[in-house]
């Protein structure tokens, strides 16, 4: 994905409050790899002093001077609304500050779709690239929120030119159990897909994690499904489960990850201070590819 995005002209991105080394370096490195053209939004003097202290060259990057993080989030969103930026990137402010500006009813970037987050993970021990959602935005999504979470992930998968995804709706077990509400929601979501309320993917659930990604586990359990053992999108019951799953894969399995927020008018690059350079570049690449796909109304082959 990084290679594919680097072949395209860099899109302007509003970087909200890049006021620590990690966020400023991430924006500049993305520009150096020709992934993005950053517009730095934050206290100009503070950004300049930080760049000098960290040995970073600001070059000709545009800096828009605002006094603090909340103002930076609001101005970054304004740049998108004015058409001066096609992407949004989180700096050193809290995620809630940026997403609050994005989701504001007046002056935000809302659409008819619920905002959600997707981790795209390359796990060394697993053949498939995994899309995990939602592990960063929706704490305890209800049924209709999960509908949007799934649709956002399917649309991203398709926009990257990866085809029709196999979507596993995860729970602790693969059978419907009234004592485990996520199994009932999984069954309902599959029926919603049958009725055209979710489109573009092949859904199955509930599935436990093992029989979602392991054909052998699915065979042992006697599960006959086009998704079991071959899942590409993993839909978690809630944020706690998703966050722990993604971080387990990152820190125990050495997975590379990209993170992106969907459902707004433009993709939002939402990285963590713990992310390495490759993760940050991958997140920028995914956002760029998605933005080009939306602009051209056709998938970008990653």
């Amino acid at each position: 994905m990084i290679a594919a995005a680097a072949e395209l002209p860099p899109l302007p991105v509003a970087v909200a409050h890049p006021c620590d080394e990690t966020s400023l370096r991430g924006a500049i490195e993305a520009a150096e790899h020709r992934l993005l053209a950053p517009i730095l939004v934050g206290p100009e003097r503070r950004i300049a002093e930080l760049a000098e202290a960290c040995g970073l060259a600001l070059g000709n990057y545009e800096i828009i001077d605002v006094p603090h993080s909340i103002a930076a989030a609001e101005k970054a969103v304004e740049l998108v609304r004015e058409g001066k930026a096609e992407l949004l990137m989180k700096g050193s402010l809290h995620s809630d500050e940026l997403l609050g500006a994005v989701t504001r009813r007046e002056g935000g970037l809302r659409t008819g779709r619920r905002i959600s987050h997707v981790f795209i993970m390359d796990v060394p021990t697993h053949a498939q690239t995994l899309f995990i959602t939602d592990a960063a935005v929706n704490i305890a999504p209800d049924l209709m929120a999960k509908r949007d979470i799934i649709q956002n992930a399917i649309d991203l998968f398709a926009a990257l030119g990866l085809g029709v995804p196999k979507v596993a709706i995860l729970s602790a077990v693969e059978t419907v159990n009234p004592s485990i509400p996520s199994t009932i929601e999984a069954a309902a979501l599959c029926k919603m897909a049958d009725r055209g309320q979710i489109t573009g993917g092949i859904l199955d659930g509930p599935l436990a994690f093992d029989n979602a990604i392991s054909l052998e586990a699915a065979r042992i359990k006697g599960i006959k499904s086009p998704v079991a053992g071959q899942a590409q999108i993993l839909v978690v019951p809630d944020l706690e489960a998703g966050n722990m799953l993604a971080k387990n894969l990152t820190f125990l399995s050495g997975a590379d990850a990209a993170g992106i927020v969907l459902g707004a008018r433009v993709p939002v690059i939402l990285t963590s201070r713990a992310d390495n350079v490759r993760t940050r570049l991958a997140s920028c690449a995914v956002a760029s590819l998605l933005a080009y796909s939306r602009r051209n109304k056709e998938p970008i082959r990653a």
Side-chain angles (χ1 to χ4, degrees):
M1 288 185 283
I2 293 171
E7 294 178 1
L8 301 168
L11 294 174
V13 55
V15 186
H17 206 254
C19 292
D20 65 3
E21 181 178 359
T22 304
S23 58
L24 183 59
R25 187 178 296 278
I28 291 174
E29 286 175 343
E32 290 173 346
H33 282 78
R34 291 188 47 78
L35 298 175
L36 301 172
I39 303 168
L40 307 176
V41 185
E44 184 172 8
R45 181 176 176 180
R46 185 173 169 186
I47 292 172
E49 290 174 349
L50 175 64
E52 184 177 358
C54 298
L56 298 171
L58 291 178
N60 296 320
Y61 302 130
E62 182 179 359
I63 301 177
I64 296 179
D65 187 27
V66 295
H68 47 68
S69 59
I70 294 176
E74 292 173 349
K75 184 62 178 179
V77 167
E78 182 182 321
L79 290 173
V80 173
R81 289 179 60 86
E82 292 173 349
K84 296 177 181 177
E86 293 188 54
L87 299 166
L88 196 58
M89 186 174 183
K90 174 180 175 287
S92 58
L93 74 175
H94 291 294
S95 297
D96 287 350
E97 290 177 311
L98 182 59
L99 294 179
V102 169
T103 57
R104 185 169 298 153
R105 290 190 179 278
E106 298 295 329
L109 301 174
R110 293 169 66 101
T111 66
R113 195 81 64 77
R114 177 73 67 100
I115 297 286
S116 66
H117 182 274
V118 176
F119 275 119
I120 303 172
M121 309 204 74
D122 179 13
V123 185
T125 56
H126 190 65
Q128 295 273 16
T129 299
L130 297 176
F131 287 52
I132 298 174
T133 190
D134 180 339
V137 173
N138 292 283
I139 297 173
D142 60 18
L143 186 66
M144 296 311 293
K146 285 184 178 179
R147 190 216 77 87
D148 282 358
I149 288 168
I150 294 170
Q151 194 66 65
N152 285 341
I154 290 172
D155 291 350
L156 172 62
F157 194 96
L160 293 177
L162 300 175
V164 177
K166 297 175 180 178
V167 183
I169 306 168
L170 299 181
S171 186
V173 295
E174 63 278 356
T175 54
V176 175
N177 185 334
S179 299
I180 307 177
S182 60
T183 65
I184 298 173
E185 288 188 342
L189 288 162
C190 290
K191 183 52 66 176
M192 291 169 76
D194 290 344
R195 296 291 185 264
Q197 292 173 270
I198 301 170
T199 61
I202 303 167
L203 275 65
D204 194 15
L207 289 171
F209 182 74
D210 58 347
N211 46 57
I213 64 166
S214 167
L215 282 168
E216 179 64 13
R219 185 191 65 78
I220 291 170
K221 291 286 184 71
I223 301 171
K224 295 179 175 60
S225 160
V227 175
Q230 306 173 76
Q232 295 158 307
I233 295 177
L234 302 177
V235 182
V236 297
D238 55 33
L239 183 145
E240 290 174 307
N243 196 272
M244 285 186 276
L245 173 58
K247 287 179 178 175
N248 272 329
L249 292 173
T250 299
F251 291 98
L252 293 180
S253 300
D256 283 325
I260 186 170
V261 170
L262 308 167
R265 282 169 52 180
V266 299
V268 181
I269 303 161
L270 199 69
T271 53
S272 165
R273 284 174 293 180
D275 290 340
N276 60 31
V277 172
R278 185 172 170 83
T279 290
R280 290 178 177 277
L281 293 179
S283 300
C284 294
V286 169
S288 175
L289 292 170
L290 177 58
Y292 268 106
S293 174
R294 288 178 174 179
R295 177 195 280 185
N296 301 330
K297 304 297 183 185
E298 62 183 28
I300 297 290
R301 177 65 60 183

